[in-house]
Amino acid sequence: MPDDRLSHSSTQANVWKIFVMSQVRNHDIAWLEKDHGIRDLLLEQGNIHHIFPKAYLKNHGFSQTQYNQTANYIWITQPRNLQINDRAPKDYLSDPKITEFGTDASFASNAIPQSLKNDDYNDYQAFLSERRKLMANKIHAYFNEL
């Protein structure tokens, strides 16, 4: 599946829904969490959050179409969302209160590149490109398992 199909700016895009379905099927744990599964977040307590926070990108001149990219979305718990606030990824990912459960497996199951730990707004486009590839790989694996 070409990763350019992940260049949407809506959580209503089928490709986003399929990505989330792959996470539910794999019983993936939410990013930066210990025991909250993606399925749980869908049913009761989750938020769709911007990995590069919307306010942070807006403050650096990014448009709505740019910050509302499918590859910038993640299901996350409300408490974690509030902790992240509007900080650069490199800042919030250096906070031990946030990253306590930020394992390599957590990054992988949520198709998030490890490089995010060092990223700020200058790295946003490269992040989107890499995350689209990881998401496309996860979707491809999901279809191969069906």
Side-chain angles (χ1 to χ4, degrees):
M1 174 179 145
D3 58 23
D4 61 344
R5 293 186 191 163
L6 288 158
S7 296
H8 296 280
S9 60
S10 170
T11 57
Q12 297 307 309
N14 287 336
V15 69
W16 167 252
K17 292 176 182 180
I18 294 169
F19 173 73
V20 173
M21 287 170 45
S22 75
Q23 291 188 289
V24 170
R25 178 173 168 82
N26 289 333
H27 306 285
D28 289 339
I29 299 298
W31 185 50
L32 305 173
E33 295 296 335
K34 178 181 178 183
D35 55 9
H36 296 286
I38 296 296
R39 182 181 184 278
D40 301 328
L41 297 186
L42 290 168
L43 295 175
E44 55 192 61
Q45 57 193 2
N47 299 107
I48 296 177
H49 173 66
H50 294 82
I51 298 167
F52 273 78
K54 177 172 72 171
Y56 170 75
L57 290 176
K58 280 176 78 170
N59 288 338
H60 290 284
F62 288 81
S63 70
Q64 181 176 2
T65 303
Q66 291 172 310
Y67 58 73
N68 281 345
Q69 288 291 304
T70 301
N72 194 30
Y73 293 136
I74 191 76
W75 275 98
I76 198 165
T77 62
Q78 177 69 15
R80 191 72 65 222
N81 190 3
L82 293 172
Q83 287 177 316
I84 289 170
N85 198 2
D86 62 356
R87 297 187 279 170
K90 72 177 186 175
D91 294 336
Y92 71 76
L93 290 173
S94 65
D95 183 339
K97 289 181 263 177
I98 293 174
T99 60
E100 181 179 1
F101 305 110
T103 64
D104 290 349
S106 175
F107 275 73
S109 66
N110 288 280
I112 297 177
Q114 290 287 332
S115 61
L116 182 69
K117 295 173 184 177
N118 303 309
D119 286 354
D120 65 17
Y121 69 93
N122 293 303
D123 306 297
Y124 182 60
Q125 295 303 326
F127 160 79
L128 289 176
S129 178
E130 183 61 25
R131 182 140 196 261
R132 286 179 187 125
K133 291 175 188 170
L134 294 171
M135 291 172 78
N137 290 342
K138 190 166 183 80
I139 291 167
H140 182 75
Y142 170 65
F143 277 106
N144 283 338
E145 293 171 6
L146 296 179

